[in-house]
Amino acid sequence: MTASIVSLKGVNKSFGPIDVLHDINLEVRAGEVLCLLGDNGAGKSTLIRLLSGVHQPTSGEILMDGAPVRLTTPREAADRGIATVHQFGGTFPLMSIGRSFFVGVEPTKGWGPFKVFDRKFANEVAVKAVQSFGITRITDGDRLVGGLSGGERQSLAIARAVHFGARVLILDEPTAALGVKQAAHVLRIVNEAKRRGLAVVFITHQVMHAMAVGDHFAVLIRGAVASDFRKGEKTREEITDLMAGGETMATLEASIEGYMASHDGHPPSPAH
Amino acid sequence: MTDPNPRMSLGALLRRPETGSFLGLAAVFVFFWIFGGSNFASPNGAASWLNVAASLGIIAIPIGLLMIAGELDISIGSMVPAGSMTCAIISGHFGLPIVVGIGAALALGAMVGLINGLLVVKTAVPSFIVTLGTLFAVAGLLLGLAVIITGTTSVKLQAGPEAKLLLGHFIGGVFQVTIFWWIAAAAFWAFVLHYSKYGNWILAMGGDKVSARNAGIPTDRVTIILFMCSGMSAAFVGLSQAILYNSAQVSAGQSYIFNAIISVVVGGVLLTGGYGSIFGIVLGTLTFAIVNQGIYYTGFDANWASLIIGILLLVAVLMNNTFRKMALSYAPKKKGAKA
Ligand SMILES: Nc1ncnc2c1ncn2[C@@H]1O[C@H](COP(=O)(O)OP(=O)(O)OP(=O)(O)O)[C@@H](O)[C@H]1O
Ligand SMILES: [Mg+2]
């Protein structure tokens, strides 16, 4: 087991009166995929927003390489090597692959006030980066990002993060909107990132996807870590039950019938 | 990588943002050439639409950049007369050197732009509303001050020969020197948008402002600078008109608002930001000016020009959407995602 890059120590998060996370303790290690599992509204997205600098913990500490850090902005988290890839990958659909790859860190050539954006270099680097993750169908850096498939866009975004030196990769339901083949693409790329020594935090509602890449699993139930285990320590059925909020599938099925009969219980929480 | 020069193929040409605008321009040009007869394409005819295009174009380019960056500036409608009145009051009414009048007009444009920009980035109120406010505020202030200072709403200005030559001259008796300023502005902004790294910033901001900021782009500063540029461009057009026509009026700019937006949209800029080109804006401006002026060379009543412009705008938007879809989905494979 390698040393942890990021760890959370007794982290709590509340929004005003609403307590969302309670006493979270977690380690994110280099070359490992941490799968965050849990029902809708369990607090998974909130937890990673703490890591990506969008929110700050109400109490508790986030440590990087053992030293406490304050991640006050997404920019700061990114500077420290924590990269968040959003569900739809590239956020600039009408920019070319090469241009979007280098947003904010544009390579230029020339001198003085006549420095020009080095399109050829940008395209080459971007295409090479994404191809090195096995997406060989991307060959032209002038293509617009919006013309790529969902999986390709995710791959491009991950390749970009890795290229710019990310150490921790955060993926919130990257496979949720993807078909089987596209999802397999993304999972392969997650494995490749792991092989390169990155730490990956991966949120998914699909047990198969979690088991395909996960080394370490944390199950959140109502904002607390209900279970924390490593690969091979639990069966698929046990994990499925945990993901459903600790209830077994059998109880769930019974309760679904209950919903049908009466409308008494809480309605199912909407997806985030 | 497989295609060493992807920009040369027909497919690549069709994917460029200005292809639709070029076809539109060609269509109106041929139309007015046929119906307008030889006068339309004669030097005098060409001058009539090039002169209109030049002053409109100088304003349309920064408006287009703002739209690409996801903002809008309609206060230019007051900044054009504010620029000409400032210059005329200072250098005409008070008789100060013309450079002072020019400098003051440009400074006013920059200041109104700065106010627009600061309000937009600090309050997060949509820029349409912010600049609607400054449009009226500047118009009111201008009218009030003009009456207090000069007692009229129209001021005479007699500029010296140097200023006339640079800003208010008719080349060959018909072509306004503004045309060259327009070409220079287009070349400058084309460099900024398409070749410098700042162009990438502007495109990224229009695509997704939050991601652009997280990627390290100083989005607030870029927004403010773009507003300052549009304010200064409008003031520049205003002051050069005052020098050209030897006088300035309080109310002489509202038509620029819609005309500039039409030119930009016909030029292929996406209203929601993130996409567009300077060349396209130039083509859109030319198209607008040709329809606007070409009508006088035909046998038709000039009132039909608005109908043509309206239809042209709708066709341009539809056509640009089609070309954009083609740009997005060009790939040797089945599935193209929507924008
Ligand atoms: N900014 C906020 N203000 C108030 N409450 C919030 C805020 N953000 C999240 N919450 C609440 O925190 C809880 C956890 O939300 P979160 O989005 O982290 O869940 P999740 O585990 O990602 O769920 P899903 O699987 O549906 O994406 C929810 O009840 C949500 O309403
Ligand atoms: Mg979530």
Side-chain angles (χ1 to χ4, degrees):
Chain A
M1 222 187 278
T2 49
S4 66
I5 300 183
V6 181
S7 46
L8 291 97
K9 290 250 182 304
V11 165
N12 294 285
K13 178 65 187 174
S14 41
F15 295 101
I18 311 161
D19 292 325
V20 176
L21 295 173
H22 320 279
D23 192 29
I24 305 286
N25 292 291
L26 273 178
E27 309 266 314
V28 189
R29 294 189 182 84
E32 267 193 24
V33 177
L34 166 65
C35 282
L36 274 183
L37 310 173
D39 209 357
N40 292 120
K44 306 180 295 294
S45 296
T46 306
L47 176 56
I48 61 157
R49 284 191 198 117
L50 296 178
L51 292 177
S52 56
V54 177
H55 299 317
Q56 281 71 51
T58 311
S59 64
E61 270 188 329
I62 298 176
L63 295 93
M64 278 196 85
D65 303 312
V69 288
R70 286 188 54 76
L71 305 168
T72 47
T73 61
R75 179 86 193 133
E76 195 170 339
D79 285 344
R80 290 186 183 271
I82 301 177
T84 310
V85 172
H86 297 282
Q87 194 176 49
F88 296 102
T91 42
F92 309 112
L94 291 164
M95 288 177 87
S96 73
I97 291 171
R99 277 182 173 270
S100 70
F101 197 87
F102 283 97
V103 160
V105 282
E106 291 78 7
T108 53
K109 59 181 179 189
W111 46 270
F114 300 108
K115 280 207 183 75
V116 298
F117 176 75
D118 194 343
R119 171 177 141 252
K120 188 159 168 281
F121 174 81
N123 286 356
E124 273 173 17
V125 172
V127 167
K128 210 191 288 166
V130 67
Q131 286 199 343
S132 81
F133 274 90
I135 308 291
T136 47
R137 272 191 307 179
I138 296 180
T139 53
D140 179 359
D142 277 326
R143 271 179 72 181
L144 300 186
V145 173
L148 304 178
S149 71
E152 286 170 342
R153 254 185 286 175
Q154 288 276 345
S155 313
L156 180 65
I158 294 171
R160 179 179 193 270
V162 172
H163 179 84
F164 288 106
R167 300 171 65 206
V168 182
L169 203 56
I170 295 177
L171 307 164
D172 192 354
E173 302 193 36
T175 54
L178 302 181
V180 178
K181 264 179 106 171
Q182 297 276 327
H185 256 329
V186 172
L187 294 175
R188 257 214 319 274
I189 284 167
V190 169
N191 268 329
E192 172 63 18
K194 171 167 95 175
R195 198 189 58 78
R196 294 191 192 184
L198 273 85
V200 182
V201 181
F202 184 82
I203 296 182
T204 181
H205 283 283
Q206 271 146 304
V207 192
M208 291 301 285
H209 294 174
M211 295 191 67
V213 293
D215 298 294
H216 177 186
F217 302 81
V219 182
L220 288 184
I221 296 179
R222 284 186 292 280
V225 179
S227 182
D228 186 344
F229 54 94
R230 298 193 62 79
K231 187 180 186 148
E233 289 176 4
K234 285 206 189 326
T235 66
R236 194 178 140 197
E237 285 70 31
E238 286 172 307
I239 299 176
T240 311
D241 291 346
L242 276 165
M243 282 172 74
E247 299 165 73
T248 65
M249 277 319 274
T251 3
L252 260 184
E253 273 157 24
S255 78
I256 290 169
E257 279 159 27
Y259 271 131
M260 300 303 186
S262 72
H263 266 71
D264 268 350
H266 296 287
S269 42
H272 281 264
Chain B
M1 305 298 111
T2 44
D3 189 349
N5 204 345
R7 302 244 150 171
M8 292 308 284
S9 71
L10 180 67
L13 207 65
L14 285 176
R15 291 192 302 272
R16 296 190 57 82
E18 53 280 300
T19 308
S21 336
F22 183 76
L23 294 178
L25 174 63
V28 298
F29 189 85
V30 168
F31 177 87
F32 284 102
W33 204 10
I34 291 170
F35 289 97
S38 53
N39 281 343
F40 166 75
S42 72
N44 279 332
S48 78
W49 43 267
L50 277 175
N51 291 344
V52 167
S55 36
L56 178 58
I58 290 172
I59 298 175
I61 292 173
I63 295 297
L65 285 169
L66 276 168
M67 279 168 69
I68 293 171
E71 306 291 349
L72 191 61
D73 182 4
I74 61 172
S75 69
I76 49 150
S78 292
M79 272 321 298
V80 174
S84 58
M85 283 298 283
T86 305
C87 186
I89 289 174
I90 289 179
S91 301
H93 184 74
F94 290 120
L96 289 166
I98 189 77
V99 285
V100 179
I102 291 173
L106 292 177
L108 180 71
M111 208 180 71
V112 173
L114 179 69
I115 293 169
N116 283 334
L118 282 173
L119 285 174
V120 167
V121 301
K122 298 289 178 217
T123 65
V125 172
S127 50
F128 173 75
I129 302 298
V130 167
T131 58
L132 185 64
T134 47
L135 172 76
F136 276 81
V138 171
L141 194 68
L142 185 63
L143 188 59
L145 285 180
V147 171
I148 291 174
I149 296 172
T150 68
T152 74
T153 56
S154 161
V155 180
K156 295 227 170 313
L157 169 70
Q158 196 54 58
E162 299 92 350
K164 271 279 187 195
L165 183 69
L166 280 175
L167 293 164
H169 178 65
F170 283 103
I171 296 157
V174 287
F175 294 98
Q176 284 177 18
V177 65
T178 329
I179 294 168
F180 289 98
W181 287 100
W182 179 35
I183 294 170
F188 170 76
W189 286 118
F191 176 79
V192 170
L193 184 63
H194 301 302
Y195 294 98
S196 81
K197 68 175 180 184
Y198 307 110
N200 221 37
W201 294 6
I202 293 170
L203 289 166
M205 283 166 59
D208 179 350
K209 199 150 286 177
V210 176
S211 300
R213 185 177 304 131
N214 289 343
I217 296 172
T219 54
D220 288 357
R221 208 184 325 151
V222 175
T223 305
I224 291 171
I225 290 173
L226 286 177
F227 273 108
M228 291 174 72
C229 288
S230 80
M232 287 203 298
S233 301
F236 176 82
V237 168
L239 72 88
S240 61
Q241 285 182 347
I243 292 171
L244 180 72
Y245 298 117
N246 302 320
S247 79
Q249 285 83 34
V250 172
S251 60
Q254 306 291 343
S255 65
Y256 278 100
I257 303 169
F258 281 131
N259 297 356
I261 293 173
I262 291 170
S263 302
V264 167
V265 172
V266 170
V269 172
L270 185 61
L271 272 165
T272 45
Y275 194 72
S277 78
I278 299 297
F279 189 47
I281 298 171
V282 168
L283 295 177
T285 310
L286 273 174
T287 309
F288 177 88
I290 285 176
V291 177
N292 194 269
Q293 295 297 305
I295 199 82
Y296 298 111
Y297 293 89
T298 66
F300 313 131
D301 191 305
N303 294 327
W304 292 104
S306 293
L307 176 68
I308 300 178
I309 287 170
I311 292 171
L312 195 71
L313 180 68
L314 295 175
V315 171
V317 171
L318 292 176
M319 201 153 70
N320 288 334
N321 277 346
T322 310
F323 280 110
R324 194 161 46 247
K325 279 207 195 80
M326 283 169 65
L328 277 175
S329 60
Y330 114 84
K333 60 187 197 54
K334 60 244 174 279
K335 194 183 157 239
K338 55 186 185 306

